[in-house]
Amino acid sequence: MAAFTLAELESMVVVNMGDYKTARGETKLMTKDLGSCVGVALRDPHTGVGGLLHVMLPNHTMTGRQDFVAAKYADSGLDEMIDTLVLEGAQRKRLVAKIAGAAHMFHCDEIPESRDISSRNLNAVIEKLDALGIPLLASDVGENFPRTVVFEPGSGSFRILTPGKEEKMI
């Protein structure tokens, strides 16, 4: 995996698992260790306002817990992040998306790959983006390795780092 400079690391905003962050312009948002989770980057290219969501589970109906956190789920997490982006100056109709993750990290003979959590997360994200009318510009998903992503809302740069693999930009 490519190394970051100290200045680059100090300037990044870290997005933890089951959370999202928003930024504007050249501020970089980073989320690490996307295995079966999906990193969803949204941006308004006109304003440079964007956000990065680290989705853990497909939809919030999977839980009846009292300590519900919307950002953990594809459906409620995207709704919440979009509401925040709009408050920060983005327009819903101009939002575009890029995604990474949904890796098949564990093989289980009893569960077909098409039904494991990574596939369910990916399908939930794609279905939600489609329902919201948000174009998916690029993706790096599947396989069986984790990813770290760095997203810059101003330019739309979506950098994907994977141990032992060449860095990608989508």
Side-chain angles (χ1 to χ4, degrees), residues 104-119:
H104 305 285
M105 298 301 292
F106 305 103
H107 177 74
C108 176
D109 289 332
E110 290 79 38
I111 301 172
E113 196 171 272
S114 64
R115 292 298 306 146
D116 73 6
I117 192 65
S118 57
S119 295

Side-chain angles (χ1 to χ4, degrees), residues 11-170:
S11 71
M12 287 185 199
V13 176
V14 176
V15 179
N16 293 314
M17 187 183 305
D19 198 6
Y20 72 91
K21 299 285 190 238
T22 61
R24 178 185 297 272
E26 295 178 11
T27 301
K28 291 178 176 69
L29 304 171
M30 175 180 65
T31 194
K32 301 180 281 187
D33 303 324
L34 289 168
S36 60
C37 296
V38 179
V40 184
L42 297 181
R43 75 184 277 258
D44 175 342
H46 182 74
T47 61
V49 173
L52 182 61
L53 170 67
H54 188 132
V55 172
M56 293 173 60
L57 294 166
N59 56 61
H60 74 278
T61 59
M62 294 180 67
T63 183
R65 297 177 56 135
Q66 298 293 329
D67 57 347
F68 171 74
V69 177
K72 287 183 180 181
Y73 308 93
D75 56 353
S76 56
L78 279 165
D79 287 338
E80 185 174 85
M81 185 169 74
I82 290 167
D83 288 346
T84 302
L85 291 172
V86 169
L87 288 173
E88 293 177 2
Q91 286 192 17
R92 285 178 194 268
K93 66 183 179 188
R94 292 194 303 237
L95 291 175
V96 293
K98 294 181 180 179
I99 63 174
H104 305 285
M105 298 301 292
F106 305 103
H107 177 74
C108 176
D109 289 332
E110 290 79 38
I111 301 172
E113 196 171 272
S114 64
R115 292 298 306 146
D116 73 6
I117 192 65
S118 57
S119 295
R120 291 169 46 215
N121 283 341
L122 178 59
N123 291 337
V125 167
I126 291 171
E127 288 170 10
K128 184 66 174 181
L129 291 173
D130 187 53
L132 294 168
I134 298 174
L136 178 58
L137 301 181
S139 65
D140 184 56
V141 296
E143 306 285 339
N144 61 351
F145 49 82
R147 296 160 172 89
T148 291
V149 299
V150 179
F151 174 56
E152 185 179 306
S155 68
S157 162
F158 197 65
R159 182 175 167 194
I160 302 164
L161 304 124
T162 303
K165 297 194 176 286
E166 207 167 304
E167 180 178 316
K168 283 185 184 180
M169 290 286 258
I170 61 170

